[in-house]
């Protein structure tokens, strides 16, 4: 969900901010008012191809920025194109190429044309909708796990069966990757901690100034004067004793806060060397992320997988024939699971077609209908299944 969209210098949208509310939001206007510019800006933000022609007259660049909710997180996404034609994208604090922006966009937005629903034209999305309707996600995930295991075995067979020169090349590559990640000494979550520290060090002057202002207010005689006045009131009016006690508590709390604030201020020290070290560390993590995964956790997972593969290749503990037998058994098991899932999908498609037909009749749309077609295509590395080449559920 897009929580806020800001468009600056983009065609006729010089400075537009939208904050969609929950539910349906409608943008109306005369022809040429710029409604389609909002759609173009969203397309550009999420990796669409738009050159310098979208930069408004007199502007140096066009910028689109959005706050995007992805479940429990809110991401800031931004993309800019300059008069030179150069574009730059960011997701949060990280640079993001167009492909990564398109991947995010596929998860958070969908564009409906006047006569088509673009996402539903993708077979992968059609299958996902059908699996969700039929309650087949667990069955699909189980099949995916079997296929991953089969492919891992096939890769191992290919690696062991490769000629010695190719095998040595793969071993060298795996050793380099494992060593590179190991030498980095990554710790899960450290990139987030480093960014927090980076922001703190960048704000040292402001933090020191704010601390000084707070201490000056806490050390001012006004609090002591107020406490003394309250004690004088209590001496003259016994019913106001509670006020005097609260004044003493306030004075003690201010003193405690002052001590805590002074201790905090002692930790505030501009450290250019530490800032450089943090920048260098974040650059290293960014380089590893580009090569091995989108997060520190993904990089470490890649290292673990690479170590396992390296160990398998170095020890060659399983013979090639044993691996082939295991792969054949996995292929049979996966083929049976794939056939079972396909049959379940066809049964679910029949129910979906029937329910949609009921809804269409209720909406008095006699000319509309839904049919589901299933096709089996031969592939060299596909699973062996016994199913019709083509079947329509209508």
């Amino acid at each position: 969900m897009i929580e806020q969209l800001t468009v600056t210098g983009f065609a006729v949208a010089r400075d537009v901010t939208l904050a969609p509310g929950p539910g349906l939001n409608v943008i109306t206007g005369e022809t040429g008012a710029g409604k389609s510019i909002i759609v173009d800006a969203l397309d550009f933000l999420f990796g669409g191809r738009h050159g310098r022609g979208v930069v408004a007259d007199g502007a140096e660049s066009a910028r689109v920025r959005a706050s995007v909710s992805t479940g429990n997180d809110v991401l800031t996404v931004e993309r800019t194109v300059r008069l030179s034609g150069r574009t730059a994208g960011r997701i949060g604090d990280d640079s993001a190429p167009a492909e990564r922006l398109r991947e995010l966009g596929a998860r958070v937005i969908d564009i409906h044309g006047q006569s088509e629903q673009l996402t539903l034209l993708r077979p992968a999305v059609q299958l996902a909708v059908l699996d969700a309707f039929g309650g087949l996600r667990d069955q699909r995930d189980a099949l995916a796990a079997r296929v991953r295991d089969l492919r891992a075995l096939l890769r191992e067979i290919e690696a062991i069966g490769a000629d010695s020169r190719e095998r040595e090349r793969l071993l060298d590559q795996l050793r380099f990757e494992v060593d590179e990640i190991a030498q980095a000494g990554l710790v899960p979550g450290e990139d987030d901690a480093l960014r927090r520290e980076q922001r703190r060090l960048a704000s040292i002057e402001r933090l020191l100034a704010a601390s000084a202002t707070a201490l000056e207010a806490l050390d001012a005689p006004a609090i002591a004067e107020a406490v003394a006045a309250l004690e004088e009131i209590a001496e003259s009016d016994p019913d106001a004793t509670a006020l005097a006690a609260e004044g003493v508590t306030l004075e003690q709390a201010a003193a405690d806060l002052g001590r805590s604030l002074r201790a905090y201020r002692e930790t505030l020290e501009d450290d250019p060397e530490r800032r450089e070290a943090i920048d260098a560390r974040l650059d290293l993590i960014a380089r590893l992320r580009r090569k091995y995964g989108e997060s520190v956790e993904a990089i470490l997972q890649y290292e673990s997988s690479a170590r396992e593969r390296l160990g398998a290749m170095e020890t060659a503990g399983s013979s090639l024939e044993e691996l082939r037998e295991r792969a054949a058994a996995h292929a049979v098991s996966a083929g049976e699971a794939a056939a079972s899932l396909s049959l379940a999908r066809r049964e679910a498609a029949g129910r979906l077609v029937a329910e949609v037909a009921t809804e269409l009749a209720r909406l008095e749309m006699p000319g509309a209908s839904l049919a589901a077609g299933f096709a089996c295509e031969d592939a060299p590395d596909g699973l062996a299944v016994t199913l019709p080449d083509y079947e329509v559920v209508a």
Side-chain angles (χ1 to χ4, degrees):
M1 175 182 173
I2 295 177
E3 296 187 351
Q4 181 168 304
L5 176 69
T6 302
V7 184
T8 307
F10 193 96
V12 299
R14 299 273 180 177
D15 188 5
V16 176
T17 298
L18 298 176
L24 176 66
N25 291 259
V26 179
I27 301 174
T28 64
E30 298 179 355
T31 300
K35 302 183 296 298
S36 61
I37 295 298
I38 302 300
V39 178
D40 291 340
L42 282 171
D43 180 63
F44 167 71
L45 176 64
F46 292 106
R49 295 180 177 273
H50 293 268
R52 60 185 178 184
V54 300
V55 179
D57 292 341
E60 296 183 355
S61 63
R63 180 171 64 87
V64 183
R65 181 184 179 95
S67 296
V68 179
S69 174
T70 58
N72 296 327
D73 298 325
V74 177
L75 300 177
T76 299
V77 186
E78 181 177 317
R79 196 174 186 212
T80 304
V81 58
R82 300 187 180 279
L83 286 175
S84 62
R86 183 177 180 182
T87 62
R90 299 190 69 82
I91 298 178
D93 296 328
D94 300 329
S95 298
E99 181 60 29
R100 189 177 172 201
L101 292 170
R102 282 192 287 270
E103 291 175 359
L104 175 61
R107 303 201 319 263
V108 300
I109 70 166
D110 192 16
I111 298 176
H112 299 253
Q114 292 181 339
S115 61
E116 59 184 351
Q117 212 287 353
L118 301 181
T119 295
L120 285 179
L121 295 179
R122 306 173 193 161
V125 175
Q126 295 169 357
L127 280 178
V129 171
L130 181 59
D131 289 345
F133 173 81
L136 303 175
R137 289 175 176 169
D138 291 342
Q139 191 173 350
R140 178 194 62 196
D141 292 343
L143 173 59
R146 294 189 182 191
V147 172
R148 283 195 298 271
D149 292 341
L150 174 59
R151 288 175 176 171
L153 281 172
L154 294 175
R155 285 195 299 269
E156 191 173 352
I157 291 171
E158 182 181 0
I160 293 177
D163 59 55
S164 59
R165 182 178 300 175
E166 177 65 12
R167 184 171 179 276
E168 287 302 320
R169 186 191 68 79
L170 289 174
L171 283 170
D172 287 343
Q173 178 182 339
L174 287 171
R175 291 189 188 105
F176 173 81
E177 292 175 346
V178 169
D179 289 343
E180 184 178 34
I181 298 174
Q183 289 176 7
L186 298 178
V187 177
E190 71 166 298
D191 49 346
D192 293 333
L194 286 170
R195 290 193 188 95
R196 290 194 297 270
E197 186 178 357
Q198 186 183 52
R199 288 193 292 269
R200 182 174 183 266
L201 288 173
S203 306
I204 285 295
E205 292 185 2
R206 184 167 58 85
L207 293 173
L208 286 170
S211 298
T213 300
L215 285 171
E216 183 178 354
L218 291 171
D219 293 339
I223 295 178
E225 292 174 356
V227 172
L230 289 171
E231 290 176 347
E232 184 177 345
I233 291 173
E235 290 177 358
S236 301
D237 183 1
D239 292 337
T241 302
L243 291 176
E246 290 181 12
V248 173
T249 301
L250 171 63
E251 187 176 33
Q252 292 174 346
D256 291 341
L257 177 58
R259 284 191 292 272
S260 299
L261 186 54
R262 287 184 177 86
Y264 168 75
R265 188 178 60 176
E266 292 298 321
T267 67
L268 299 176
E269 182 180 356
D270 191 13
D271 189 346
E273 292 183 358
R274 177 57 182 165
R275 292 172 65 175
E276 291 180 4
I278 291 174
D279 291 342
R281 184 66 174 172
L282 288 174
D283 286 343
L284 171 62
I285 294 174
R287 289 197 301 272
L288 293 176
R289 287 176 60 184
R290 286 193 293 269
K291 296 169 67 174
Y292 303 118
E294 288 297 319
S295 65
V296 170
E297 290 75 10
I299 296 170
L300 294 173
Q301 185 176 0
Y302 181 92
E303 179 195 13
S304 176
S305 175
R307 283 186 185 278
E308 291 179 3
R309 188 178 177 193
L310 179 61
M313 291 183 64
E314 287 180 335
T315 60
S318 298
S319 70
L320 188 58
E321 189 61 33
E322 288 174 344
L323 288 174
R324 285 173 175 164
E325 291 177 359
R326 289 173 57 194
H330 272 67
V332 171
S333 175
E336 292 172 350
S340 175
L341 176 59
S342 184
L343 291 174
R345 281 172 168 168
R346 293 165 200 240
E347 187 276 331
R351 290 189 285 112
L352 177 61
V353 167
E355 292 191 18
V356 170
T358 301
E359 289 298 316
L360 292 175
R362 186 177 63 83
L363 294 172
E364 299 183 358
M365 300 175 65
S369 64
L370 172 68
F374 294 85
C376 290
E377 299 180 357
D378 294 332
D381 58 347
L383 299 173
V385 295
T386 304
L387 293 167
D389 289 339
Y390 189 75
E391 182 178 357
V392 175
V393 178

